Amino acid sequence: MGVWDAGRRLGPSTAQQRTVLATLLLEPGRPVPVARLETALWGGEPPGSSRNAVQGHISRLRRLLAPFPEAALDTSARGYCLTVERDRVDLHRFRRLVREAGGEAEPERAAGLLREGLALWQGAPLADVAGRWLPDAVVPGLEEERLAALERRAALDLRRGRHREVAAELAVLVGEDPLRERLVSLLMTALLRGDRRSEALAVFRRVRRRFAEDLGIEPGEELQRLHRAILTGRDGAAGPVLADREGPPGAVTTDREGPPGAAATAALGTGTATLAVPRHLPPDTELFTAREEELSALDRLTLPPEGSPPAAHVMAPCVITGTGGVGKTTLAVHWAHRVRDRFPDGQLYVNLQGFGPTDIARTPSDAVRLFLDALQVPSQLIPATLEARVGLYRSLLAERRMLILLDNALDSDQVRPLLPNAPGCLALITSRAELTGLVAAEGARTLSLGLFSPAHSRELLTRRLGVDKVGAEPKAVDDIVSRCAGLPLALAIVAARAHARPAFPLRTLISGLAAADAHGGDGPGGEGGPGGEEGVTGESGPGGGEGAADGGDGEGADGLDVFDGGDAVTNMRTVFSWSYRALSPDAARLFRLRGLSPAPEISTVAAAGLAGIPVRQAHHLLTELTRANLSVERSPGRYGWHDLLRVYAEELTRLHDSEAERREALHRLLDHYLHSARLGDRLLDLYHRVPLAPAPPRPGVVLARITDRAQSLAWFGREHRTLLAMIRHAARSGFDAHAWQLAGACWGFLSQEGRSDDQAAMHHIALEAAARLDDPAAQAHARVGLAQALIRLGQDDASASHLREALDLFGGLGDPAGQALCLIYLSVLEDRHGRYAEGLAMSERALRLYRAAGDRAGEGRVLNNIGWFHAQLGAYEEALCHCEEALAVHRELDDKPGESATLDSLGHIHHLLGRYEQAIDYYRRSLAWRRGGKRALGARTLRRLGEAQIAAGRLSEGRETLRRALDLVAELAPGDADALRARISRLNEPDEPPARDS
């Protein structure tokens, strides 16, 4: 970092001055607040003399820059501003060259611009500044820009045939960063095109091994696809694609979304040949014990009457009830595996999380979404509303024979939408609750599951430990059976501990327990405290579930106290402590800290951040916990546990870990999710992105590996319920900044995927957190995110109220782009209610604000909106003028979604002018850019296209297009579907004249 003149470095002379200069040059021409300079120099704890010190550094920098009149360092009420031509700063010159390369059509010229920009990099950026803020908060982003440019240049070089040079260069870079998938993909492509196929495959094998060891996951889709292409020898299949990503349509079209009902049926089919056959049951246990009477009872409750064909028998739902830990899920899963031949079209499974630590049961809408995903319904065909999702789900199950296992249900209302209506399908439900409403209204059958008898308890131990070991110590076995009190979970944990130490007599388990009960003991690594922990009072609240050792049912219990019979014999804490005390000290610490997370699952990288340890060490410790039956690997790199263990872990961390250590660990975990979500959000194609400036992640935090849009969507898809739980937990734990920023980072994914319920829930929490922080900007963004979700949910009045509040807040902040965004969403409401003049006025005001902010993308979107409103008011020439101007802006910015929305508007205007063939052309061009995008827009454009075809005299073609539109509208907005259905019906009448309007 320095000031250079004619190749000679003039200064600054100290690291602190270099820090101040770097902070100013990151945003030349913009005031930098003193507080930010203090943060850059001293982090979160500046000394009392910090302001004077900053003034001193500024004075010395002014003297350094005095010989250069083109560099002015000014002071204002908003801070210090260094005005200098941006091209004199190597970072900004590099960024200009990268931008020019992106708009350059000639590959050789673009590669030259990138090479010129990359030549400006001289070692690690900002390596000689003071403090950790710039290296931690700024340098990773700068390094990402460098690598992205380098990858782009390498891809262009590959296009020009420079395979050897690229391979030699990238081999070094991949050696330094083998988990950067884009670099690996380019290296493999260079090797393949240089006839080095075996070396390309070897690179993939090495990288795949590193992914498994370090992250516990497989490489991303791009690498997997390239690997398959190399193996199959497909010409041209290898090599990264340089096409730009697509983004969502404009905000003016945020109508309530839903999927095509009949369109999904047409696309997916209703026969068994076109529907995926899911096999989603959890694994059965080969050590399943007893329960023969219960298995027979399930057979009787679900088999058709004698002589009745199975396909014609309407099977009532079957509910298995019982206390937590008794083995409901174990029984249900075992029976389901035993009768799966009766359900040849597949088996679906979902844990409804009715009883758990977060008070967030899985919503029916979310559960149906999981089922539709399991049936391989494309994401763009999945509706937004519960009613539409249920309709599609039940339509796909019609005339099929499937088993649906609904595990850990909260109540009848949660289950009812998930019940199939096909005679060949059975819903099998487990719950702590009696579900009497389901019995009364749906005729559900029930099976109550009790505790194991002493004989069955001995049978379980015998099956797991062997006849010889159990027979050698009958007294010890009697004691174990007595202490476990007939709970299969407790018996399974005891058996696992004994199995892990085959040389130990069973009586040592009992004697060790007795000593702990009487005297207490040390935890792993000599941590003081009661060894059995039976004296610890757990926080009351929903816990739950069966253990990993015996299948697990993820149910709840009122903490561990529900398993306390008044003495150590029936105290589950004592049973858990047997496995816990056998852990290594590091594994015991990770187990305890996991009790700080409310989520039912955790990834390897999140666990690493929680504990502040390397990913590879976290992987090994989680494996140790899994082997001890204190965790279960539910999918590669993702670990769950039942909620009784979470409650036990929470008790232990409160007992053994200080408040400061617990808070620091939770801070790291929240940092992991916030910065990972922010990274993923940046890779999504969004019209609006919430500006976030979170504090740098704490030392030891590991971020998720997200390198492209597909990985971002996959990560959010896996984690979005965990993110909701973490936002709620952050707000409850005093981490309000994390709460609102995490909601902001999730906004784009939730909006694109139509998860409006989750978006509304997150932004309700975010708004409350922002209010506690007294942060107007945070409150404004939270209100807009909440308002957009409420628009889609049909709550227009509440949405308008939040938008007006946000508009005032953005006005007070002097944020014209934020004000414009509020006006766009308010104009959506005006359009929905036919108030076109009001919508036009709002859009024109938004245009002025976007132009004041210099926001060209926003300007293009709102120009289209203005054109739309003019068309609705009959001013067609003005409408065409504004939409053509919008189209030019979109094409200038290569904004494909904005271009698509504007083409739709132009088609509508030409239709209104009677230019039907032109309208048809515009509509088709608009649909060509949808590519499975927003379903509401697709339905509307299809309907307009059909009407234009009919008006042009293409009656048969128009009817078919309207039928396709009806497929979408039927579940998107049933009220609109009736009118469209009637319209199609009239067209089928022989004397129906062609329509001349839309």
Side-chain angles (χ1 to χ4, degrees), residues 676-701:
S676 297
R678 187 168 178 243
L679 174 62
D681 182 65
R682 289 173 175 174
L683 293 170
L684 299 179
D685 303 312
L686 304 175
Y687 164 58
H688 172 72
R689 180 171 282 111
V690 179
L692 299 174
R698 311 290 282 184
V701 172

Side-chain angles (χ1 to χ4, degrees), residues 69-401:
E70 64 272 26
L73 180 50
D74 300 316
T75 304
S76 72
R78 298 172 62 187
Y80 298 103
C81 178
L82 177 54
T83 303
V84 63
E85 184 183 342
R86 298 178 77 88
D87 227 39
R88 289 179 175 269
V89 183
D90 54 8
L91 171 63
H92 300 295
R93 188 159 68 252
F94 162 76
R95 287 172 171 169
R96 175 182 61 78
L97 292 166
V98 170
R99 284 196 303 273
E100 290 181 6
E104 178 60 57
E106 171 55 45
E108 186 168 352
R109 168 66 177 156
L113 291 168
L114 291 169
R115 191 172 286 106
E116 181 183 349
L118 289 166
L120 297 172
W121 291 75
Q122 303 292 327
L126 306 183
D128 55 352
V129 299
R132 292 303 310 162
W133 187 81
L134 284 172
D136 289 343
V138 176
V139 169
L142 300 181
E143 183 63 16
E144 177 63 31
E145 290 185 56
R146 182 184 74 87
L147 287 173
L150 191 150
E151 290 164 348
R152 174 77 179 174
R153 197 222 67 219
L156 290 167
D157 285 345
L158 285 177
R159 186 183 296 180
R160 297 162 58 217
R162 303 184 64 193
H163 313 317
R164 291 186 179 180
E165 296 90 333
V166 172
E169 178 185 22
L170 295 188
V172 176
L173 294 173
V174 169
E176 296 172 351
D177 190 358
L179 299 182
R180 188 173 179 90
E181 296 183 63
R182 181 68 166 161
L183 284 176
V184 177
S185 176
L186 288 163
L187 174 58
M188 291 172 63
T189 303
L191 292 171
L192 179 62
R193 294 181 180 175
D195 295 327
R196 298 159 69 182
R197 181 171 177 270
S198 60
E199 293 178 59
L201 291 171
V203 168
F204 181 81
R205 287 194 297 271
R206 289 195 299 271
V207 168
R208 188 178 191 178
R209 185 164 56 250
R210 284 295 300 272
F211 267 85
E213 292 176 353
D214 291 2
L215 305 179
I217 61 174
E218 287 287 320
E221 177 59 27
E222 181 180 336
L223 280 184
Q224 300 275 13
R225 186 170 57 247
L226 177 55
H227 180 237
R228 290 192 297 270
I230 297 174
L231 289 174
T232 57
R234 292 199 302 271
D235 293 337
V241 177
L242 293 174
D244 294 321
R245 300 184 180 95
E246 291 189 56
V252 77
T253 57
T254 52
D255 295 345
R256 194 184 310 173
E257 293 186 296
T265 304
L268 300 169
T270 55
T272 56
T274 56
L275 180 66
V277 179
R279 308 290 186 188
H280 280 212
L281 293 176
D284 193 9
T285 173
E286 59 181 344
L287 299 176
F288 183 83
T289 302
R291 303 296 192 196
E292 292 300 324
E293 292 182 8
E294 290 84 355
L295 291 169
S296 297
L298 285 172
D299 287 336
R300 292 191 300 272
L301 291 172
T302 59
L303 282 172
E306 189 173 350
S308 172
H313 174 55
V314 178
M315 290 178 280
C318 188
V319 183
I320 303 174
T321 64
T323 188
V326 79
K328 296 181 292 298
T329 298
T330 304
L331 173 66
V333 169
H334 180 74
W335 181 83
H337 278 281
R338 200 169 76 161
V339 300
R340 63 180 180 271
D341 290 344
R342 288 170 47 190
F343 304 96
D345 294 318
Q347 303 88 39
L348 296 171
Y349 169 87
V350 64
N351 181 354
L352 294 174
Q353 301 172 359
F355 297 90
T358 62
D359 295 327
I360 307 177
R362 193 184 297 277
T363 65
S365 181
D366 194 23
V368 176
R369 169 72 186 239
L370 291 176
F371 286 165
L372 294 175
D373 288 340
L375 294 169
Q376 297 184 8
V377 177
S379 176
Q380 66 268 22
L381 298 182
I382 295 179
T385 64
L386 172 61
E387 293 79 8
R389 287 183 179 179
V390 170
L392 176 57
Y393 158 67
R394 288 175 173 165
S395 296
L396 292 175
L397 264 56
E399 300 181 5
R400 290 182 170 86
R401 292 162 59 192

Side-chain angles (χ1 to χ4, degrees), residues 25 35 96 199 206 236 286 302 332 385 435 557 571 591 603 648 653 683 860 890:
L25 286 178
R96 175 182 61 78
E199 293 178 59
R206 289 195 299 271
E286 59 181 344
T302 59
T385 64
L435 303 189
N571 192 312
F591 175 78
S603 66
Y648 178 64
T653 191
L683 293 170
H890 294 319

